[in-house]
Amino acid sequence: MTDHPSRLNTGSHDLPVSPELSRFMAGGWAASPLPADARVPAHAVTPARRARLSARFPGERLIIPAGELKVRSNDCDHRFRPHSAYAWLTGLTGEDQVGHVLVMEPSGPHGHEAVLYLRPRSPRAGGNEEFYRDRRYGEFWVGRRPDLAEAERLTGLRCAHLDTLGAPAGRNPATDSELAGVLSELRLVKDTWEVAQLQLAVDHTAAGFEDVVRALPTALAHPRGERWIEGVFGLRARAEGNGTGYDTIAASGAHACVLHWIRNDGRLNPDDLLLLDAGVETDTLYTADITRTLPLSGRFTPLQRQVYELVLAAQDAGIAALRPGASFRDFHRAGMRVIAEGLAEWGVLKDAEGDLHRRYTLCSSGHMLGLDVHDCAQARADTYLDGVLEEGQVLTVEPGLYLQPDDETLPAELRGIGVRIEDDLVITSDGARLMSGALPRTVSGIEEWMGTLLDTAR
């Protein structure tokens, strides 16, 4: 805790507090309790999640920290986001979770009692100065924290003061790969509540893509049009959710051949394509992950259409391969067969055999999606990458072609074109449901959609 004056996180320029000011600050505050019916949104589903974790480690003490602040520069910290496993088990997703720890205490022969150790709201009497002086945790600096009783109502967990935790011994996912793997594997199949949160993230993301198209005339006129696009989408993400689920990729022209182009400092050329890879993260921290490659003029050139339609055919093949019991890698293999055959037909490759097509595709064609954009990444290979799909899993299908501007194996006219098409899908009993179908994928669908939005923007 930071309630002792010598431990307060105060600024280097702060003046000392006089005894008179300290006494004045200690009184005269009205009661301001949280609403008695306030609950975290996942309140009803977190007990079952903790029970599943408990069953995997009978008799063992489990330590799940929310995480700590990281300095961005001098006395300014990065915006805090709690660890995904902590958020999944507690339902707590706010920036006020810094330093908090969930402890699963063995209870009985097989079960656990979950105890949340937290930094409760600091009192305002008795000489306590944290609430108005501490720049990292003080209520007047970063907002109100619940007291212990309020935190118990919010979460349904027994709560204790962080100062009473000490240095706990037990399994911790930061140092225990088995626990980290299990915490990932338990999240592979989403419950109904999670699928609804992901659909909400997808819907907000679709609205953000519409905002971007409407903003294209302004972005095209700006010397850093990519940044304008990033900012427009970011506004939607912050207005509707917690923000973006990952750094937005707004890549125009040859920048689209850089898979994680997040510099976003380029000018937009109406003759080029724009690859926009972006996702809104909900307040509950579930993120969408969608990519569209759009003609900045509103219409594809014949060559752009040729490249785009090959990638679309690969995505269609990948989506068709999704079903319970299929290998996770099947959809990637299906899409890459289409890409290799297309490159052979163009004469870029001698034939479709082997893996030479990877020069132009570079990476896999999708991943699990959830609290993390690349969700469940610590899961063992035999349960994820080398496993089979199950009903309730949510994943992306995102083949791409990245035809580098300096690649002399390509015809000159193809160099510098990058296309990726990415959608979010949930595995159903007989296949997969396209969650991001509100955004068109076909050439004609995109051109019509863009035309309508641009007409309304003028």
Side-chain angles (χ1 to χ4, degrees), residues 86-105:
Y86 173 91
W88 187 72
L89 291 166
T90 67
L92 293 163
T93 59
E95 296 177 7
D96 59 346
Q97 298 305 303
V98 176
H100 295 181
V101 182
L102 176 69
V103 177
M104 302 284 285
E105 297 281 4

Side-chain angles (χ1 to χ4, degrees), residues 279-295:
V280 172
E281 179 181 81
T282 64
D283 291 330
T284 57
L285 305 187
Y286 288 84
T287 186
D289 182 9
I290 298 174
T291 307
R292 288 294 182 268
T293 305
L294 309 173

Side-chain angles (χ1 to χ4, degrees), residues 161-321:
H161 200 298
L162 188 59
D163 279 357
T164 66
L165 178 59
R171 287 180 176 259
N172 185 321
T175 56
D176 188 314
S177 60
E178 183 182 4
L179 176 57
V182 168
L183 286 167
S184 276
E185 290 164 12
L186 290 175
R187 302 200 334 256
L188 279 167
V189 175
K190 272 54 179 179
D191 57 38
T192 302
W193 185 87
E194 289 180 291
V195 173
Q197 290 299 303
L198 284 162
Q199 186 63 64
L200 182 64
V202 167
D203 294 344
H204 289 324
T205 300
F209 274 71
E210 292 182 356
D211 295 340
V212 164
V213 174
R214 292 190 188 97
L216 281 179
T218 304
L220 281 160
H222 196 278
R224 284 187 167 185
E226 291 177 345
R227 291 267 170 100
W228 197 271
I229 295 301
E230 177 186 356
V232 167
F233 187 86
L235 174 59
R236 174 67 67 172
R238 284 294 281 166
E240 304 290 1
N242 187 52
T244 55
Y246 53 94
D247 289 329
T248 297
I249 298 169
S252 63
H255 290 165
C257 299
V258 181
L259 271 70
H260 288 169
W261 176 262
I262 58 172
R263 195 179 307 166
N264 299 342
D265 61 355
R267 180 182 288 275
L268 304 182
N269 182 331
D271 295 331
D272 286 338
L273 298 172
L274 170 72
L275 189 158
L276 178 61
D277 186 335
V280 172
E281 179 181 81
T282 64
D283 291 330
T284 57
L285 305 187
Y286 288 84
T287 186
D289 182 9
I290 298 174
T291 307
R292 288 294 182 268
T293 305
L294 309 173
L296 285 166
S297 67
R299 299 192 69 83
F300 291 89
T301 67
L303 188 62
Q304 290 168 349
R305 179 176 186 138
Q306 173 188 335
V307 178
Y308 185 93
E309 290 193 328
L310 178 55
V311 177
L312 179 62
Q315 193 196 35
D316 285 340
I319 291 173

Side-chain angles (χ1 to χ4, degrees), residues 40-173:
V40 294
H43 185 272
V45 295
T46 52
R49 298 173 182 175
R50 294 191 294 269
R52 291 169 61 202
L53 176 62
S54 174
R56 297 291 292 271
F57 295 95
E60 299 192 67
R61 196 173 196 234
L62 309 177
I63 313 296
I64 316 295
E68 300 290 347
L69 288 167
K70 293 184 178 180
V71 174
R72 183 185 185 277
S73 62
N74 192 26
D75 58 353
C76 296
D77 297 312
H78 285 282
R79 185 183 295 276
F80 180 77
R81 180 191 188 278
H83 191 281
S84 293
Y86 173 91
W88 187 72
L89 291 166
T90 67
L92 293 163
T93 59
E95 296 177 7
D96 59 346
Q97 298 305 303
V98 176
H100 295 181
V101 182
L102 176 69
V103 177
M104 302 284 285
E105 297 281 4
S107 175
H110 302 293
H112 288 79
E113 181 191 17
V115 183
L116 179 63
Y117 290 87
L118 53 82
R119 182 181 294 103
R121 188 183 193 190
S122 54
R124 299 188 184 180
N128 187 293
E129 297 178 354
E130 183 198 71
F131 73 96
Y132 69 95
R133 292 199 68 197
D134 194 301
R135 293 167 179 251
R136 266 193 162 176
Y137 305 116
E139 183 174 333
F140 287 7
W141 288 90
V142 297
R144 188 196 191 290
R145 302 192 303 267
D147 62 30
L148 290 177
E150 290 170 335
E152 290 188 345
R153 289 198 303 271
L154 282 169
T155 63
L157 292 163
R158 180 163 77 85
C159 295
H161 200 298
L162 188 59
D163 279 357
T164 66
L165 178 59
R171 287 180 176 259
N172 185 321

